[in-house]
Amino acid sequence: MEQQVVFDTCADFEFGLNGTRQTDYFIYNTDYTDGLVVYIPGFGGDLGEYAKAFCEKTSKQYQMAAMTLNYFCIGSRPSAGAKVEVHNSEKAKVEQAFIQMGGTGEASIEALNALLMNSNNHIKLTGDLVPTKNEYQNFGLLAALDIVNAIKDATQRFNLSLDNVILVGSSYGGYLANLVTKVYPGLVKAVFDNSSWAQTNLAYVVGQEMGVPEFSYQVYPKVILDLNVRSPWTLTQGLPNTFSGGRQEIRGFSKPQLQSMANQGGQDTFYVFYHAQTDNIAPTHEKIEMANNMAELGFKHVLMNVVDESDIDGHLIKNLGHGMGMSMRKFFEVGYGFLQDINPEFKFNDQLKKAEFDTSDLIYQFDLSANVVTGQVSVKN
């Protein structure tokens, strides 16, 4: 049975916003109280009905409650309902190309594409992606806190065991799963992560400023849009919204940050990482370094599987692209099998009231004792 629940979560404390905001989750079969599976969608293809079907089927098969949620800035791709807005500055470019191609009448993108169909040329334009809830790019931190607060709400509301919470996600969804275990060490029993980032991808935060799109979209056969979700962050130094070293570090898994996780009780979570040998979107070498550092720092169970051509089986691994064409239900089956084989001891860390992370220029603190987990950030002296 599906239930939709609206819950309170953290406001954007990095910009000085206090209080809470609301979003929602969809939860299945809460009569299974022995555990909770949280499916975390990525940017596009596994949103909506895919995520809900995963939860419904997985819940019944493994007899645990399962949920998915609308975290901050979800739905940021056209396939997931995001709107595309071409920059005003590009209208002159369209008009000029339209005239050069001999066009008459109104110089629209569609009309320009029709003219270009008879040539070997194409045109690239820049624009914004406007997510379904009209939110901005935060890259991870608010979304991770949404997931933490959804877990707290669901386990309390439906009396679910906090000793058996499993997170599963692909790409950005896997990254968020790992980030949850950072901001709240000891909350999660296991993470099954397919092809996530180990470090902050600046293209998603300040890509427009860098001239690097986070997403390219072929809106017409001869017209490609280079797009970014609107972001409040900047690389310009000395401003309240400067994306400084500490802003990046809190969103990543460098060795010092992993050490802080370990020091605060994060070593007991069971991690399963799958990553293609070469991944042009989420660099493989960074993920390998992350896994090696975790093992060195005393994380007890980190299974890192680097996939090559010999692993393509048409069932779990279908290709060596980003995400490897992986069925997430099959991936959960594999991860859960590892978890059952090793059967690690895990108990939710109910003694941790605050998590703190020291970065190069900032100190981040997360209040874990409150009904709604919130964060605060201060400048280092």
Side-chain angles (χ1 to χ4, degrees):
M1 183 179 71
E2 176 188 284
Q3 298 180 65
Q4 182 180 9
V5 178
V6 176
F7 68 100
D8 291 332
T9 186
C10 180
D12 195 344
F13 64 94
E14 288 185 290
F15 286 107
L17 300 180
N18 299 316
T20 61
R21 54 188 173 85
Q22 288 190 322
T23 188
D24 59 344
Y25 60 80
F26 295 86
I27 192 164
Y28 298 81
N29 299 320
T30 55
D31 50 327
Y32 297 140
T33 60
D34 289 340
L36 174 65
V37 176
V38 184
Y39 184 79
I40 307 172
F43 283 124
D46 60 344
L47 291 170
E49 295 306 312
Y50 183 99
K52 292 180 179 180
F54 175 96
C55 290
E56 188 169 14
K57 293 175 182 178
T58 300
S59 175
K60 290 178 180 177
Q61 181 175 350
Y62 296 93
Q63 296 192 348
M64 292 187 286
M67 76 174 181
T68 188
L69 71 151
N70 287 315
Y71 57 72
F72 190 84
C73 200
I74 200 169
S76 62
R77 296 292 181 266
S79 62
K83 295 179 182 178
V84 174
E85 294 183 355
V86 176
H87 292 154
N88 287 333
S89 60
E90 297 288 69
K91 293 179 180 178
K93 183 177 178 180
V94 171
E95 186 172 347
Q96 182 181 18
F98 183 75
I99 293 171
Q100 288 176 345
M101 294 292 295
T104 59
E106 184 179 356
S108 66
I109 295 175
E110 185 176 6
L112 176 59
N113 176 74
L115 292 173
L116 289 168
M117 291 297 291
N118 299 317
S119 74
N120 294 323
N121 300 321
H122 69 276
I123 191 170
K124 275 193 174 185
L125 305 171
T126 62
D128 293 325
L129 288 163
V130 183
T132 52
K133 296 173 73 175
N134 201 31
E135 292 167 330
Y136 52 86
Q137 183 60 270
N138 173 268
F139 200 76
L141 199 53
L142 283 181
L145 287 166
D146 288 348
I147 297 163
V148 167
N149 283 311
I151 292 169
K152 287 196 71 171
D153 184 276
T155 52
Q156 292 172 6
R157 186 185 299 264
F158 299 108
N159 195 30
L160 308 177
S161 173
L162 269 168
D163 294 333
N164 191 26
V165 176
I166 301 173
L167 309 186
V168 56
S170 180
S171 188
Y172 186 60
Y175 166 75
L176 291 178
N178 292 322
L179 199 57
V180 166
T181 70
K182 180 177 182 177
V183 300
Y184 201 143
L187 173 66
V188 173
K189 181 178 184 179
V191 168
F192 304 153
D193 159 22
N194 168 23
S195 306
S196 80
W197 290 274
Q199 303 299 335
T200 308
N201 189 329
L202 290 178
Y204 291 83
V205 186
V206 287
Q208 283 193 3
E209 195 171 337
M210 297 168 60
V212 179
E214 66 173 88
F215 181 74
S216 290
Y217 177 48
Q218 189 165 3
V219 64
Y220 293 112
K222 292 287 188 172
V223 180
I224 298 172
L225 298 181
D226 285 342
L227 304 170
N228 296 81
V229 177
R230 291 170 182 162
S231 171
W233 297 106
T234 180
L235 292 174
T236 302
Q237 296 299 306
L239 299 176
N241 59 330
T242 299
F243 200 69
S244 66
R247 307 289 188 193
Q248 296 183 44
E249 292 160 39
I250 193 61
R251 291 167 166 82
F253 298 92
S254 65
K255 193 170 185 178
Q257 294 295 298
L258 290 168
Q259 182 69 73
S260 293
M261 290 171 62
N263 291 346
Q264 296 174 91
Q267 313 101 311
D268 291 339
T269 296
F270 184 95
Y271 293 89
V272 177
F273 298 150
Y274 269 62
H275 217 98
Q277 189 175 42
T278 301
D279 190 325
N280 294 325
I281 294 178
T284 307
H285 71 277
E286 293 181 352
K287 195 59 165 294
I288 293 172
E289 181 180 10
M290 173 182 169
N292 289 340
N293 284 337
M294 292 172 78
E296 181 181 333
L297 292 169
F299 286 78
K300 296 176 182 177
H301 304 287
V302 182
L303 305 183
M304 178 77 213
N305 192 334
V306 179
V307 174
D308 60 25
E309 284 189 12
S310 67
D311 296 307
I312 298 176
D313 58 10
H315 299 286
L316 178 64
I317 310 295
K318 299 184 179 65
N319 57 60
L320 293 182
H322 179 64
M324 297 166 285
M326 191 181 287
S327 161
M328 294 305 289
R329 286 197 67 224
K330 183 67 176 176
F331 180 48
F332 186 88
E333 179 183 329
V334 169
Y336 194 77
F338 288 138
L339 183 64
Q340 293 297 97
D341 288 343
I342 295 175
N343 193 25
E345 290 187 12
F346 180 87
K347 187 168 181 60
F348 165 63
N349 183 6
D350 60 359
Q351 301 302 306
L352 187 64
K353 305 303 181 185
K354 180 180 72 173
E356 182 172 310
F357 294 88
D358 194 353
T359 73
S360 57
D361 58 337
L362 300 168
I363 297 173
Y364 280 81
Q365 294 180 328
F366 301 97
D367 181 1
L368 310 178
S369 63
N371 287 333
V372 175
V373 174
T374 58
Q376 66 179 52
V377 58
S378 57
V379 177
K380 287 178 68 175
N381 294 326

